[in-house]
Short mmCIF file of all heavy atoms in Angstrom, two decimals:
data_model
loop_
_atom_site.label_atom_id
_atom_site.label_comp_id
_atom_site.label_asym_id
_atom_site.label_seq_id
_atom_site.Cartn_x
_atom_site.Cartn_y
_atom_site.Cartn_z
N GLY A 45 -6.04 -4.81 2.18
CA GLY A 45 -7.29 -4.16 2.37
C GLY A 45 -7.14 -2.66 2.54
O GLY A 45 -8.08 -1.87 1.97
N THR A 46 -6.16 -2.26 3.40
CA THR A 46 -6.08 -0.81 3.60
C THR A 46 -5.57 -0.11 2.40
O THR A 46 -6.28 0.93 2.11
CB THR A 46 -4.93 -0.62 4.63
OG1 THR A 46 -5.44 -1.29 5.91
CG2 THR A 46 -4.79 0.82 5.11
N ILE A 47 -4.75 -0.64 1.52
CA ILE A 47 -4.24 -0.03 0.40
C ILE A 47 -5.51 -0.04 -0.62
O ILE A 47 -5.68 1.05 -1.38
CB ILE A 47 -3.05 -0.93 -0.26
CG1 ILE A 47 -1.86 -0.79 0.47
CG2 ILE A 47 -2.83 -0.51 -1.75
CD1 ILE A 47 -0.83 -1.78 0.28
N LYS A 48 -6.27 -1.02 -0.73
CA LYS A 48 -7.44 -0.97 -1.65
C LYS A 48 -8.41 0.18 -1.21
O LYS A 48 -8.94 0.87 -2.00
CB LYS A 48 -8.30 -2.29 -1.62
CG LYS A 48 -7.60 -3.39 -2.41
CD LYS A 48 -8.28 -4.68 -2.31
CE LYS A 48 -7.58 -5.75 -3.05
NZ LYS A 48 -8.30 -7.10 -3.13
N ALA A 49 -8.58 0.45 0.08
CA ALA A 49 -9.53 1.51 0.54
C ALA A 49 -8.85 2.82 0.26
O ALA A 49 -9.65 3.67 -0.07
CB ALA A 49 -9.60 1.34 2.18
N ILE A 50 -7.59 2.86 0.20
CA ILE A 50 -6.98 4.24 -0.20
C ILE A 50 -7.15 4.41 -1.67
O ILE A 50 -7.41 5.63 -2.16
CB ILE A 50 -5.48 4.22 0.18
CG1 ILE A 50 -5.27 4.14 1.63
CG2 ILE A 50 -4.65 5.38 -0.38
CD1 ILE A 50 -3.80 3.83 2.13
N THR A 51 -6.90 3.42 -2.48
CA THR A 51 -6.90 3.56 -4.00
C THR A 51 -8.15 3.43 -4.73
O THR A 51 -8.23 3.53 -5.87
CB THR A 51 -5.84 2.66 -4.54
OG1 THR A 51 -6.18 1.27 -4.14
CG2 THR A 51 -4.42 2.91 -3.99
N GLY A 52 -9.22 3.19 -3.95
CA GLY A 52 -10.51 2.70 -4.65
C GLY A 52 -11.06 3.86 -5.49
O GLY A 52 -11.74 3.41 -6.46
N ARG A 53 -10.95 5.09 -5.22
CA ARG A 53 -11.60 6.16 -5.90
C ARG A 53 -10.66 7.12 -6.62
O ARG A 53 -11.01 8.28 -7.01
CB ARG A 53 -12.47 6.98 -5.05
CG ARG A 53 -13.66 6.03 -4.54
CD ARG A 53 -14.56 5.71 -5.59
NE ARG A 53 -15.77 4.91 -5.09
CZ ARG A 53 -16.75 4.58 -5.86
NH1 ARG A 53 -16.76 4.88 -7.08
NH2 ARG A 53 -17.84 3.88 -5.29
N VAL A 54 -9.24 6.85 -6.60
CA VAL A 54 -8.24 7.70 -7.10
C VAL A 54 -7.78 7.08 -8.37
O VAL A 54 -8.02 5.89 -8.72
CB VAL A 54 -7.11 8.03 -6.20
CG1 VAL A 54 -7.71 8.89 -5.02
CG2 VAL A 54 -6.56 6.85 -5.58
N SER A 55 -6.98 7.87 -9.24
CA SER A 55 -6.40 7.34 -10.41
C SER A 55 -5.20 6.48 -10.22
O SER A 55 -4.34 6.88 -9.51
CB SER A 55 -6.10 8.53 -11.31
OG SER A 55 -5.26 8.15 -12.50
N PRO A 56 -5.14 5.22 -10.85
CA PRO A 56 -4.01 4.41 -10.73
C PRO A 56 -2.69 4.98 -11.35
O PRO A 56 -1.74 4.48 -11.16
CB PRO A 56 -4.45 3.15 -11.34
CG PRO A 56 -5.65 3.50 -12.39
CD PRO A 56 -6.26 4.71 -11.67
N ARG A 57 -2.96 5.97 -12.16
CA ARG A 57 -1.81 6.67 -12.85
C ARG A 57 -1.18 7.65 -11.82
O ARG A 57 -0.01 8.00 -12.09
CB ARG A 57 -2.28 7.31 -14.13
CG ARG A 57 -2.71 6.53 -15.25
CD ARG A 57 -3.02 7.31 -16.48
NE ARG A 57 -4.22 8.02 -16.31
CZ ARG A 57 -5.47 7.63 -16.48
NH1 ARG A 57 -5.80 6.37 -16.74
NH2 ARG A 57 -6.49 8.37 -16.39
N VAL A 58 -1.87 7.97 -10.76
CA VAL A 58 -1.21 8.92 -9.79
C VAL A 58 -0.95 8.14 -8.57
O VAL A 58 0.19 8.19 -8.10
CB VAL A 58 -2.24 10.18 -9.46
CG1 VAL A 58 -1.68 10.98 -8.38
CG2 VAL A 58 -2.51 10.86 -10.69
#
Side-chain angles (χ1 to χ4, degrees):
T46 301
I47 291 170
K48 287 181 180 178
I50 295 168
T51 58
R53 296 291 182 175
V54 291
S55 170
R57 292 184 293 275
V58 179

